[in-house]
Structure formats: C-alpha cells, structure tokens
Amino acid sequence: MAIGPSQKIDLLLFGPRKRLIENGFSDSFRLHGAVDDKALAQLPADVAEQVRGIGVTSLVPLRAAQLARFPKLEIIATFGVGYDHIDLGYAREHRIVVTNTPDVLTEEVADTALGLLIATLREFIQADRYVRSGLWQTQNYPLSVGSLRDRKVGMVGMGRIGQAIARRLDASRVPVVYHCRNRVAGMLYPYYADLVAMARDVDTLMVITPGGASTAKLINAEVLQALGPRGVLINVARGSVVDEPALIQALRSGTILAAGLDVFADEPNVPEELRAMSNVVLLPHIGSASVVTRNAMDQLVVDNLKAWFAGKPPLTPVVETPVWSR
C-alpha cells in the first residue's frame, strides 16, 4: 500500500543499530527499534500493532511467535543473502513478503571464499605466526603440504555466489564440478546428483548452499570419508550445513587434510577442538564484511522497504514469498 499524503508508516528495525539504515527513511516513516529478542519482547503492544514493515539488520532469528505480534505486517526486508532465520511458513500464510540482499555481496563473498581456500591450502596463517614468533631468523619455514595445483573443486551449491567462485577457479586453471538440488540450466560444469559420489571424485569441497532444514548437516561423516585424506573443506555458507562434530573427528583422525571455515553451528561460539587445530583456518563470518559491500547491503534493505510502501514491487523478493497483489 502506498503512503497517503498525511499517513506515516510504522517500521521496526530489528537487530543491531545501523546508521545508514536508520538515516535512509524520510519523515513519512516512523521508526522503532529493537536491538535483540529482549528489546523486541518489550516493544509496547500498541506500537507492534501498527508496524507494517520490519527491517532485519543482521542474522537475528525472527520466528512465528514474534511475528504474531504484528497483525498489520506486510513486508520483512532482511540483511544478507541467506534468510533461513526468518519463519517463511508464517510469512507465506500471512501474505508477508520477505526480501533479502543478493547480488551486491556476490563478488565480495566469492573473493573471501577463494582467499580462504588458498590460505588453508598454503597455510598462510601458520606462516604469519611463524614470522611473528621470530623462528624465521633461525630456521627455514617448511614447505606447505597443500597447494591449489593439481586440485579439483566440487562446488556444493551453484547459485550466484557459487558461479562467481567458479569463475575465479577457472582463472586459476582449477577444474570445477558441482552438486545442488537440480542441474543448473546452461551450466557447462559437470553436474553430480549424488553428493557422496562428487566428494569421492574431488579433493576439495566448497560449500556455498543455502541454510535451513533441507541442508542441515548435509556435509556429514559419509561425505567427509568420501572426500578422503587429501580432502579440504571450505564453508562460506551456513554453519548448519556441516555436521560439526563429524568434521572435528575427520580433521582429528586424518580422514581429511584441512578445513577453512567462515561460519559455524553456534556463532560466535566456536568449538575449542577447532580452535586448537593447526590444520584449520577460522574466520569470524566475514564473507561480505567490507565497508563498501555492507553499505550496499544496508541500502538494499532500505530500498526494498521504500519501494514497497511507494506502491512498487520490492527489488529483491525471495521466491518462497511471492509478491501478492495489494
């Protein structure tokens, strides 16, 4: 519904405060904030009853019990390409449109994925520590066990970001194959319908598939066993996609060689076993975390909300919640 001449639209910004988002709306909007679940629960009932749009500023969960407090809610614009933290079933049932922020982060995340892969294989983090320790002054640094040469990468997921990673691997002359739920039309890379079969035929798995119930613990002990002792796992998707205890056991036992992880099952809590391992590179979920990219993501949250309340279609609706006529 478009904004009337004397009508203000009540919006809720849920999650950490972000200046670009807060400053992105004109006086036609009335903004309310809740930085976390506790603050959301304390939002006055008379305010909740007037909220028509929610901007989710980070990957904070927004479930049915919370959404039920907003009877006039029309749109949820969430920050990030993933949206498994939003209760899509409730949104569909109540004709609430959900949007995310794809495209603007694709190249940044792809850069991170390739950098994490190379850092893991060539042991760059260990080399940095070696120099800082002063050991280089007394002895030569040992050769890295891993290399990008003579590797074959199996992409687990081949959406926008997966394709951007594959382009970078092409430039590095690394063969690429892929697995996802369905073959991608027009895709020239070899497709595997069976993930275990792909893991058996490659020595590197790059995980960039959506989170949620359908992919929970997709990378399990069987997949890791198939990947084998030269195997390297890179995860820039969601922590839920990997069976974390199975991964720890595979790394500990030598079932696979190494892992590079930007995401974890219970962020920001990373298991001590992973933090203690020298064959694991750990990043604090920074796939898209540059100023230029995060600003573009913030702006897309704003632009989706403003488009909707100007009577236009949102820019980036997710497929699970189609844009219903108003």
PDB file of all heavy atoms in Angstrom, residues 41 50 67 69 82 107 112 121 130 135 157 203 205 207 209 242 269-270 278 282 312:
ATOM      1  N   ALA A  41      10.680  -8.162  22.784  1.00  0.00           N
ATOM      2  CA  ALA A  41       9.612  -8.580  23.698  1.00  0.00           C
ATOM      3  C   ALA A  41       9.057  -7.406  24.487  1.00  0.00           C
ATOM      4  O   ALA A  41       7.897  -7.426  24.916  1.00  0.00           O
ATOM      5  CB  ALA A  41      10.128  -9.660  24.638  1.00  0.00           C
ATOM      6  N   GLN A  50       0.844  -1.462  15.059  1.00  0.00           N
ATOM      7  CA  GLN A  50       0.868  -0.522  13.935  1.00  0.00           C
ATOM      8  C   GLN A  50       2.002  -0.786  12.946  1.00  0.00           C
ATOM      9  O   GLN A  50       2.032  -0.187  11.864  1.00  0.00           O
ATOM     10  CB  GLN A  50       0.996   0.914  14.472  1.00  0.00           C
ATOM     11  CG  GLN A  50      -0.170   1.363  15.331  1.00  0.00           C
ATOM     12  CD  GLN A  50      -1.505   1.242  14.615  1.00  0.00           C
ATOM     13  OE1 GLN A  50      -1.638   1.632  13.451  1.00  0.00           O
ATOM     14  NE2 GLN A  50      -2.504   0.684  15.298  1.00  0.00           N
ATOM     15  N   LEU A  67       6.566 -12.841  15.169  1.00  0.00           N
ATOM     16  CA  LEU A  67       5.841 -12.194  14.077  1.00  0.00           C
ATOM     17  C   LEU A  67       4.355 -12.038  14.377  1.00  0.00           C
ATOM     18  O   LEU A  67       3.707 -11.106  13.876  1.00  0.00           O
ATOM     19  CB  LEU A  67       6.029 -12.998  12.791  1.00  0.00           C
ATOM     20  CG  LEU A  67       7.447 -12.998  12.218  1.00  0.00           C
ATOM     21  CD1 LEU A  67       7.555 -14.001  11.066  1.00  0.00           C
ATOM     22  CD2 LEU A  67       7.840 -11.609  11.754  1.00  0.00           C
ATOM     23  N   ARG A  69       2.981 -10.880  16.780  1.00  0.00           N
ATOM     24  CA  ARG A  69       2.701  -9.621  17.482  1.00  0.00           C
ATOM     25  C   ARG A  69       2.405  -8.474  16.519  1.00  0.00           C
ATOM     26  O   ARG A  69       2.020  -7.393  16.960  1.00  0.00           O
ATOM     27  CB  ARG A  69       3.890  -9.234  18.372  1.00  0.00           C
ATOM     28  CG  ARG A  69       4.191 -10.209  19.486  1.00  0.00           C
ATOM     29  CD  ARG A  69       5.189  -9.605  20.454  1.00  0.00           C
ATOM     30  NE  ARG A  69       4.631  -8.421  21.088  1.00  0.00           N
ATOM     31  CZ  ARG A  69       5.370  -7.406  21.563  1.00  0.00           C
ATOM     32  NH1 ARG A  69       6.687  -7.426  21.452  1.00  0.00           N
ATOM     33  NH2 ARG A  69       4.785  -6.375  22.138  1.00  0.00           N
ATOM     34  N   GLY A  82      21.262 -14.958   2.783  1.00  0.00           N
ATOM     35  CA  GLY A  82      20.539 -16.048   3.424  1.00  0.00           C
ATOM     36  C   GLY A  82      19.352 -15.511   4.213  1.00  0.00           C
ATOM     37  O   GLY A  82      19.398 -14.405   4.750  1.00  0.00           O
ATOM     38  N   GLU A 107      30.355 -10.784  -5.300  1.00  0.00           N
ATOM     39  CA  GLU A 107      31.789 -10.779  -5.605  1.00  0.00           C
ATOM     40  C   GLU A 107      32.634 -10.750  -4.331  1.00  0.00           C
ATOM     41  O   GLU A 107      33.704 -11.368  -4.275  1.00  0.00           O
ATOM     42  CB  GLU A 107      32.127  -9.588  -6.510  1.00  0.00           C
ATOM     43  CG  GLU A 107      31.356  -9.556  -7.821  1.00  0.00           C
ATOM     44  CD  GLU A 107      31.553 -10.816  -8.668  1.00  0.00           C
ATOM     45  OE1 GLU A 107      32.636 -11.423  -8.603  1.00  0.00           O
ATOM     46  OE2 GLU A 107      30.609 -11.183  -9.400  1.00  0.00           O
ATOM     47  N   THR A 112      36.297 -13.803  -0.724  1.00  0.00           N
ATOM     48  CA  THR A 112      36.607 -14.410   0.574  1.00  0.00           C
ATOM     49  C   THR A 112      36.779 -15.912   0.439  1.00  0.00           C
ATOM     50  O   THR A 112      37.705 -16.504   1.020  1.00  0.00           O
ATOM     51  CB  THR A 112      35.492 -14.102   1.587  1.00  0.00           C
ATOM     52  OG1 THR A 112      35.366 -12.693   1.728  1.00  0.00           O
ATOM     53  CG2 THR A 112      35.790 -14.733   2.945  1.00  0.00           C
ATOM     54  N   LEU A 121      45.062 -24.031   2.069  1.00  0.00           N
ATOM     55  CA  LEU A 121      45.968 -24.947   1.376  1.00  0.00           C
ATOM     56  C   LEU A 121      47.430 -24.593   1.597  1.00  0.00           C
ATOM     57  O   LEU A 121      48.255 -25.472   1.872  1.00  0.00           O
ATOM     58  CB  LEU A 121      45.654 -24.935  -0.122  1.00  0.00           C
ATOM     59  CG  LEU A 121      44.357 -25.611  -0.560  1.00  0.00           C
ATOM     60  CD1 LEU A 121      44.057 -25.286  -2.020  1.00  0.00           C
ATOM     61  CD2 LEU A 121      44.447 -27.119  -0.367  1.00  0.00           C
ATOM     62  N   TYR A 130      54.589 -17.854  12.180  1.00  0.00           N
ATOM     63  CA  TYR A 130      55.997 -18.265  12.172  1.00  0.00           C
ATOM     64  C   TYR A 130      56.918 -17.044  12.125  1.00  0.00           C
ATOM     65  O   TYR A 130      57.892 -16.940  12.870  1.00  0.00           O
ATOM     66  CB  TYR A 130      56.225 -19.159  10.957  1.00  0.00           C
ATOM     67  CG  TYR A 130      57.559 -19.860  10.912  1.00  0.00           C
ATOM     68  CD1 TYR A 130      57.717 -21.098  11.511  1.00  0.00           C
ATOM     69  CD2 TYR A 130      58.633 -19.302  10.230  1.00  0.00           C
ATOM     70  CE1 TYR A 130      58.929 -21.772  11.447  1.00  0.00           C
ATOM     71  CE2 TYR A 130      59.850 -19.955  10.162  1.00  0.00           C
ATOM     72  CZ  TYR A 130      59.998 -21.191  10.777  1.00  0.00           C
ATOM     73  OH  TYR A 130      61.202 -21.842  10.716  1.00  0.00           O
ATOM     74  N   LEU A 135      60.936 -17.325  14.574  1.00  0.00           N
ATOM     75  CA  LEU A 135      61.575 -18.581  14.158  1.00  0.00           C
ATOM     76  C   LEU A 135      62.266 -18.473  12.805  1.00  0.00           C
ATOM     77  O   LEU A 135      63.244 -19.180  12.536  1.00  0.00           O
ATOM     78  CB  LEU A 135      60.533 -19.707  14.120  1.00  0.00           C
ATOM     79  CG  LEU A 135      60.091 -20.266  15.466  1.00  0.00           C
ATOM     80  CD1 LEU A 135      58.945 -21.253  15.283  1.00  0.00           C
ATOM     81  CD2 LEU A 135      61.270 -20.951  16.168  1.00  0.00           C
ATOM     82  N   GLY A 157      26.520 -26.293  -4.189  1.00  0.00           N
ATOM     83  CA  GLY A 157      25.736 -25.098  -4.445  1.00  0.00           C
ATOM     84  C   GLY A 157      26.297 -24.363  -5.650  1.00  0.00           C
ATOM     85  O   GLY A 157      27.510 -24.209  -5.780  1.00  0.00           O
ATOM     86  N   ASP A 203      38.939 -33.483  -4.518  1.00  0.00           N
ATOM     87  CA  ASP A 203      39.718 -33.426  -3.284  1.00  0.00           C
ATOM     88  C   ASP A 203      39.467 -32.138  -2.512  1.00  0.00           C
ATOM     89  O   ASP A 203      40.095 -31.876  -1.493  1.00  0.00           O
ATOM     90  CB  ASP A 203      41.218 -33.582  -3.567  1.00  0.00           C
ATOM     91  CG  ASP A 203      41.678 -32.713  -4.724  1.00  0.00           C
ATOM     92  OD1 ASP A 203      41.164 -31.587  -4.867  1.00  0.00           O
ATOM     93  OD2 ASP A 203      42.527 -33.180  -5.498  1.00  0.00           O
ATOM     94  N   LEU A 205      36.041 -29.558  -1.337  1.00  0.00           N
ATOM     95  CA  LEU A 205      34.628 -29.202  -1.348  1.00  0.00           C
ATOM     96  C   LEU A 205      34.480 -27.746  -0.935  1.00  0.00           C
ATOM     97  O   LEU A 205      34.998 -27.331   0.101  1.00  0.00           O
ATOM     98  CB  LEU A 205      33.827 -30.088  -0.387  1.00  0.00           C
ATOM     99  CG  LEU A 205      33.561 -31.528  -0.799  1.00  0.00           C
ATOM    100  CD1 LEU A 205      32.742 -32.233   0.283  1.00  0.00           C
ATOM    101  CD2 LEU A 205      32.850 -31.603  -2.145  1.00  0.00           C
ATOM    102  N   VAL A 207      31.617 -25.177   0.027  1.00  0.00           N
ATOM    103  CA  VAL A 207      30.212 -25.191   0.415  1.00  0.00           C
ATOM    104  C   VAL A 207      29.645 -23.776   0.340  1.00  0.00           C
ATOM    105  O   VAL A 207      30.084 -22.876   1.061  1.00  0.00           O
ATOM    106  CB  VAL A 207      30.035 -25.759   1.838  1.00  0.00           C
ATOM    107  CG1 VAL A 207      28.551 -25.853   2.191  1.00  0.00           C
ATOM    108  CG2 VAL A 207      30.689 -27.132   1.951  1.00  0.00           C
ATOM    109  N   THR A 209      25.889 -23.244  -0.204  1.00  0.00           N
ATOM    110  CA  THR A 209      24.487 -23.585  -0.409  1.00  0.00           C
ATOM    111  C   THR A 209      23.658 -22.922   0.675  1.00  0.00           C
ATOM    112  O   THR A 209      24.184 -22.624   1.760  1.00  0.00           O
ATOM    113  CB  THR A 209      24.307 -25.121  -0.377  1.00  0.00           C
ATOM    114  OG1 THR A 209      23.006 -25.467  -0.820  1.00  0.00           O
ATOM    115  CG2 THR A 209      24.523 -25.684   1.006  1.00  0.00           C
ATOM    116  N   VAL A 242      27.118 -28.081   7.848  1.00  0.00           N
ATOM    117  CA  VAL A 242      28.168 -29.044   8.181  1.00  0.00           C
ATOM    118  C   VAL A 242      27.880 -29.682   9.533  1.00  0.00           C
ATOM    119  O   VAL A 242      27.543 -28.989  10.500  1.00  0.00           O
ATOM    120  CB  VAL A 242      29.550 -28.357   8.202  1.00  0.00           C
ATOM    121  CG1 VAL A 242      30.635 -29.316   8.695  1.00  0.00           C
ATOM    122  CG2 VAL A 242      29.899 -27.833   6.811  1.00  0.00           C
ATOM    123  N   ASN A 269      30.148 -18.843  19.068  1.00  0.00           N
ATOM    124  CA  ASN A 269      30.819 -19.883  19.851  1.00  0.00           C
ATOM    125  C   ASN A 269      31.415 -20.923  18.914  1.00  0.00           C
ATOM    126  O   ASN A 269      30.687 -21.640  18.223  1.00  0.00           O
ATOM    127  CB  ASN A 269      29.814 -20.537  20.796  1.00  0.00           C
ATOM    128  CG  ASN A 269      29.155 -19.526  21.718  1.00  0.00           C
ATOM    129  OD1 ASN A 269      29.824 -18.787  22.429  1.00  0.00           O
ATOM    130  ND2 ASN A 269      27.832 -19.473  21.684  1.00  0.00           N
ATOM    131  N   VAL A 270      32.744 -20.998  18.893  1.00  0.00           N
ATOM    132  CA  VAL A 270      33.466 -21.945  18.046  1.00  0.00           C
ATOM    133  C   VAL A 270      34.051 -23.027  18.944  1.00  0.00           C
ATOM    134  O   VAL A 270      34.698 -22.721  19.951  1.00  0.00           O
ATOM    135  CB  VAL A 270      34.588 -21.239  17.257  1.00  0.00           C
ATOM    136  CG1 VAL A 270      35.375 -22.231  16.411  1.00  0.00           C
ATOM    137  CG2 VAL A 270      33.990 -20.136  16.383  1.00  0.00           C
ATOM    138  N   SER A 278      45.762 -26.974  14.130  1.00  0.00           N
ATOM    139  CA  SER A 278      46.628 -26.185  13.258  1.00  0.00           C
ATOM    140  C   SER A 278      46.271 -26.339  11.791  1.00  0.00           C
ATOM    141  O   SER A 278      46.750 -25.564  10.946  1.00  0.00           O
ATOM    142  CB  SER A 278      48.092 -26.599  13.468  1.00  0.00           C
ATOM    143  OG  SER A 278      48.275 -27.975  13.152  1.00  0.00           O
ATOM    144  N   LEU A 282      40.167 -20.319  10.594  1.00  0.00           N
ATOM    145  CA  LEU A 282      38.886 -19.877  11.143  1.00  0.00           C
ATOM    146  C   LEU A 282      38.702 -18.385  10.904  1.00  0.00           C
ATOM    147  O   LEU A 282      39.567 -17.579  11.259  1.00  0.00           O
ATOM    148  CB  LEU A 282      38.835 -20.156  12.656  1.00  0.00           C
ATOM    149  CG  LEU A 282      39.166 -21.591  13.094  1.00  0.00           C
ATOM    150  CD1 LEU A 282      39.255 -21.672  14.599  1.00  0.00           C
ATOM    151  CD2 LEU A 282      38.119 -22.564  12.565  1.00  0.00           C
ATOM    152  N   LYS A 312       5.269   0.107  -5.192  1.00  0.00           N
ATOM    153  CA  LYS A 312       6.013  -0.605  -6.230  1.00  0.00           C
ATOM    154  C   LYS A 312       6.397  -1.997  -5.731  1.00  0.00           C
ATOM    155  O   LYS A 312       6.399  -2.258  -4.527  1.00  0.00           O
ATOM    156  CB  LYS A 312       7.288   0.175  -6.590  1.00  0.00           C
ATOM    157  CG  LYS A 312       7.026   1.599  -7.058  1.00  0.00           C
ATOM    158  CD  LYS A 312       8.340   2.331  -7.240  1.00  0.00           C
ATOM    159  CE  LYS A 312       8.117   3.797  -7.624  1.00  0.00           C
ATOM    160  NZ  LYS A 312       9.397   4.527  -7.736  1.00  0.00           N
TER     161      LYS A 312
END
